[in-house]
């Protein structure tokens, strides 16, 4: 049953990847992907995601719905637990891994996550050695990158973050769901800047 949920999600992920040059240009689709066991871990953002009706999208309904369907089986990350980021962020920010540590699949060349933020949340400035792309699947958010003006991104839009380039994200009236890819630097977690 759980396997079916992950297989469906992987299938939708692969389909979007194959249709999206921005993702392929960031990292060729891995050839070494293997399934692995997930130890589910729940956080409050999971229920917020499941009940959110504002994740509007056209091209990505299949992948959006597959990420939501797998939410209750996922290991939700608590990257910022124990930092001074604040309880509201910890209660409402959501991220789980699809490919990589804690995810349902492994690869040596690509980590893939989903990030969810409800309306009216600010993800403060942070950085990491990993090169990263955010690809918006549903809803919208304002993206901030060190050295660039802020931009509102919607489904099909992407934000690239170079190694150690500080970045942040803000939702206003809408929630956002984004696919996040890392192509290196897997060993080091993000830190607030
Ligand atoms: Fe990042």
């Amino acid at each position: 049953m759980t396997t079916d949920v992950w297989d469906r999600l992987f299938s939708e992920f692969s389909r979007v990847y194959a249709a999206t040059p921005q993702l392929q240009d960031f990292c060729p689709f891995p050839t070494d992907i293997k399934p692995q066991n997930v130890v589910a871990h729940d956080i409050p953002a999971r229920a917020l995601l499941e009940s959110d009706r504002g994740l509007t999208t056209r091209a990505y309904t299949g992948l959006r719905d597959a990420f939501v369907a797998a939410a209750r089986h996922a290991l939700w990350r608590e990257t910022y637990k124990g930092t001074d980021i604040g309880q509201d962020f910890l209660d409402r920010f959501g991220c789980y891994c699809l490919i990589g540590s804690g995810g349902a699949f492994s690869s040596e060349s690509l980590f893939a996550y989903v990030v969810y933020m409800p309306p009216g949340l600010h993800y403060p400035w942070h950085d990491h050695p990993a090169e990263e792309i955010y690809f918006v699947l549903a809803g919208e958010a304002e993206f901030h990158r060190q050295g660039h003006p802020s931009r509102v991104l919607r489904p099909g839009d992407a934000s690239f973050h170079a190694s150690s380039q500080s970045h942040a994200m803000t939702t206003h009236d809408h929630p956002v769901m984004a696919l996040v890819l890392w192509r290196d630097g897997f060993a080091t977690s993000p830190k607030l800047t």
Side-chain angles (χ1 to χ4, degrees):
M1 169 79 185
T2 307
T3 308
D4 293 348
V5 168
W6 292 121
D7 286 348
R8 173 187 158 202
L9 176 50
F10 185 74
S11 164
E12 293 289 346
F13 171 80
S14 304
R15 201 169 57 78
V16 167
Y17 214 102
T20 310
Q22 288 145 294
L23 302 179
Q24 295 169 46
D25 290 348
F26 177 77
C27 183
F29 195 82
T31 55
D32 66 342
I33 292 177
K34 297 181 186 69
Q36 62 187 9
N37 189 47
V38 179
V39 179
H41 176 72
D42 201 18
I43 62 170
R46 189 268 305 166
L48 292 180
L49 169 64
E50 288 176 345
S51 62
D52 200 315
R53 295 294 169 263
L55 289 167
T56 306
T57 187
R58 283 191 189 159
Y60 308 109
T61 53
L63 184 52
R64 176 199 63 188
D65 293 349
F67 270 126
V68 174
R72 62 184 54 245
H73 306 289
L75 190 169
W76 288 83
R77 302 169 73 83
E78 296 182 298
T79 306
Y80 297 104
K81 195 175 183 179
T83 71
D84 60 2
I85 202 162
Q87 195 60 42
D88 182 58
F89 184 86
L90 297 177
D91 286 343
R92 297 203 293 147
F93 175 84
C95 175
Y96 74 80
C97 185
L98 174 63
I99 301 171
S101 181
F105 302 91
S106 69
S107 167
E108 298 297 316
S109 64
L110 179 74
F111 275 22
Y113 309 89
V114 65
V115 163
Y116 163 73
M117 288 185 18
L121 189 62
H122 178 62
Y123 184 178
W125 290 93
H126 59 283
D127 69 16
H128 39 72
E131 295 178 302
E132 173 180 72
I133 191 168
Y134 267 70
F135 183 77
V136 176
L137 296 174
E140 65 176 56
E142 186 178 5
F143 282 73
H144 319 284
R145 285 189 297 166
Q146 183 182 33
H148 296 266
S150 298
R151 295 183 298 159
V152 174
L153 301 188
R154 298 185 175 86
D157 296 334
S159 183
F160 173 77
H161 309 137
S163 181
S164 298
Q165 180 181 26
S166 196
H167 49 283
M169 181 168 48
T170 310
T171 51
H172 298 286
D173 296 338
H174 303 273
V176 70
M177 176 192 280
L179 175 64
V180 180
L181 305 181
W182 283 14
R183 62 184 175 193
D184 55 18
F186 303 140
T188 307
S189 292
K191 64 176 194 321
L192 299 173
T193 51

